[in-house]
Amino acid sequence: MNRLTAHELIDLTFDPDSWESWDSSVRQSMARGAYTDELAAARERTGLDESVMTGSATVRGRRVAVLICEFGFLAGSIGVAAGGRLVDAIERATREALPLVALPVSGGTRMQEGTTAFLQMVKITAAVTAHKEAHLPYLVYLRNPTTGGVFASWGSLGHVTIAEPGALIGFLGPRVYKTLYGVAFPPGVQTAENLHAHGLVDAVCSPDKLAETLDVLLRVLTSRPTLDERGLALPNVSDPATPAWETVLASRRSGRPGVRELLGHSASDMVLLNGTGQSQQSPALILALVRFGDISCVLLGQDRRAQTGQQSFGPASLRQARRGISLARELDLPLGQSSTHPARICRKKLRKADFRTKLRSAWQNSWR
């Protein structure tokens, strides 16, 4: 796989001449002995002073804050200086109320700096958490590879997580796993495509399509209504001349419109999300970021046609719904619901998992 440098990905993804660096010179307080030589060689090889670059840029005119790793600088590893740079940039993005786009590629924390480097992940995670608590979007693009402490912390906290095709993604890399356990890691597990299939990644997207994907996401997440929707009257679409039983029969037609038709005819912009973020996905429930006209929302929609005996509306569907409820709260967006389902639902599974209580709790917590 041809790995892009940080500068190449910036040029490919963001508007021309929009990049503004936020980086100041770093002080390598941990450098000793051979590590000093390794740092000097990395600077010579990449032209950078550290493994991360931070700054702001625009995507189709929308300004965002950017965190990006350079794998050529000591495998994109994060030490004290790089960690401090990331924290400063995240905090500035929060102060300036900017969406945050992270593009990690890293082997993890920097082994030459030991436990001190690992502790930087805690500080970075705290800064990202504060950014999300301010109802600001955090979008992550996992590149090849993203492993170790980087994946376990700020690489896995995105509201939306996208991955590069074929990217190696996981906590333990295959070489470390084999060293620890004496056997090879099962092939095909730690790939972007497999994580997408298991609901841990929302989409797999090549670098040349990333700008387009970010553009749609930012249109949904940063656009705000130009009208006061509270003053809009709802149209009366009922027909009193239609007998009630005909309405009941119409609602039972197998060919009646479903959530996909609703989105196809009504959505101005839409980004389908994938899974629970916890290794499950449910085709029976559509979770999406959607814009209807100039109003954005998180949409939960039961997909009637996707519900079969093997893919019924069950615990995974409710976990996916719970993720949508949390997203609506964190992004300060309305939550929309479209409900249409077959007559028979797998109630036994729902009772066994006690998810009705958990989902009700998620609803209540989302509006506190």
Side-chain angles (χ1 to χ4, degrees):
M1 180 183 294
N2 183 26
R3 183 182 295 115
L4 296 175
T5 67
H7 282 299
E8 288 171 341
L9 188 57
I10 288 171
D11 292 342
L12 185 64
T13 305
F14 302 104
D15 297 340
D17 302 319
S18 67
W19 173 256
E20 175 193 348
S21 176
W22 289 354
D23 297 337
S24 56
S25 59
V26 296
R27 177 175 172 269
Q28 297 289 356
S29 60
M30 303 293 293
R32 300 287 189 279
Y35 180 33
T36 303
D37 297 333
E38 291 173 1
L39 288 169
R43 293 192 194 99
E44 177 70 22
R45 183 169 55 253
T46 62
L48 303 178
D49 64 349
E50 249 303 342
S51 62
V52 297
M53 298 168 58
T54 69
S56 67
T58 59
V59 180
R60 312 285 169 89
R62 291 178 176 82
R63 187 167 176 253
V64 297
V66 181
L67 317 174
I68 185 166
C69 292
E70 172 53 65
F71 194 79
F73 195 107
L74 299 181
S77 58
I78 305 299
V80 173
R85 176 174 285 179
L86 289 170
V87 170
D88 290 344
I90 296 166
E91 291 177 344
R92 178 171 173 175
T94 305
R95 289 194 304 271
E96 297 187 14
L98 291 175
L100 185 59
V101 177
L103 305 108
V105 55
S106 175
T109 54
R110 192 164 296 171
M111 293 185 295
Q112 294 92 328
E113 298 185 19
T115 304
T116 308
F118 186 79
L119 292 175
Q120 302 311 302
M121 300 304 105
V122 178
K123 297 178 181 179
I124 298 167
T125 298
V128 169
T129 300
H131 184 82
K132 293 169 67 175
E133 287 175 349
H135 304 299
L136 295 168
Y138 179 51
L139 312 176
V140 177
Y141 183 59
L142 302 174
R143 297 153 63 203
N144 181 49
T146 303
T147 59
V150 171
F151 173 68
S153 56
W154 55 288
S156 59
L157 294 175
H159 288 118
V160 179
T161 302
I162 308 165
E164 183 180 9
L168 170 67
I169 300 168
F171 183 63
L172 286 181
R175 284 185 293 182
V176 176
Y177 183 91
K178 187 171 183 179
T179 300
L180 288 174
Y181 300 105
V183 294
F185 201 94
V189 173
Q190 294 180 306
T191 64
E193 290 77 8
N194 187 55
L195 296 187
H196 178 262
H198 287 83
L200 287 164
V201 167
D202 288 302
V204 177
C205 172
S206 60
D208 61 315
K209 300 293 184 183
L210 181 59
E212 180 182 344
T213 302
L214 290 175
D215 178 40
V216 178
L217 276 166
L218 292 169
R219 283 205 303 267
V220 175
L221 295 176
T222 63
S223 299
R224 289 296 180 259
T226 55
L227 297 174
D228 184 0
E229 65 271 18
R230 292 170 297 181
L232 298 177
L234 294 176
N236 183 7
V237 295
S238 62
D239 183 359
T242 302
W245 184 241
E246 288 187 20
T247 302
V248 172
L249 292 177
S251 71
R252 294 178 177 178
R253 288 200 327 265
S254 60
R256 67 189 186 276
V259 64
R260 292 185 181 274
E261 289 77 13
L262 168 69
L263 293 171
H265 287 285
S266 305
S268 308
D269 288 301
M270 175 179 62
V271 178
L272 291 173
L273 304 182
N274 177 60
T276 65
Q278 299 174 343
S279 193
Q280 282 185 309
Q281 64 173 181
S282 171
L285 182 77
I286 288 177
L287 169 59
L289 297 169
V290 184
R291 193 161 63 101
F292 295 104
D294 58 358
I295 298 177
S296 299
C297 72
V298 176
L299 180 75
L300 302 175
Q302 283 182 269
D303 190 355
R304 183 180 72 256
R305 294 184 180 90
Q307 295 181 55
T308 66
Q310 298 298 319
Q311 297 177 334
S312 60
F313 193 93
S317 308
L318 295 180
R319 290 191 179 99
Q320 204 157 286
R322 185 168 60 186
R323 180 194 174 195
I325 294 168
S326 297
L327 281 174
R329 181 184 69 248
E330 292 177 5
L331 294 167
D332 198 23
L333 289 175
L335 182 68
Q337 179 185 1
S338 173
S339 180
T340 172
H341 52 76
R344 187 172 65 86
I345 302 178
C346 190
R347 302 182 185 278
K348 182 178 180 181
K349 287 185 179 179
L350 302 188
R351 286 196 298 267
K352 182 178 180 180
D354 194 27
F355 270 100
R356 287 175 294 182
T357 301
K358 293 182 180 180
L359 193 61
R360 183 165 60 247
S361 175
W363 274 102
Q364 293 170 345
N365 292 336
S366 67
W367 305 116
R368 284 179 181 172

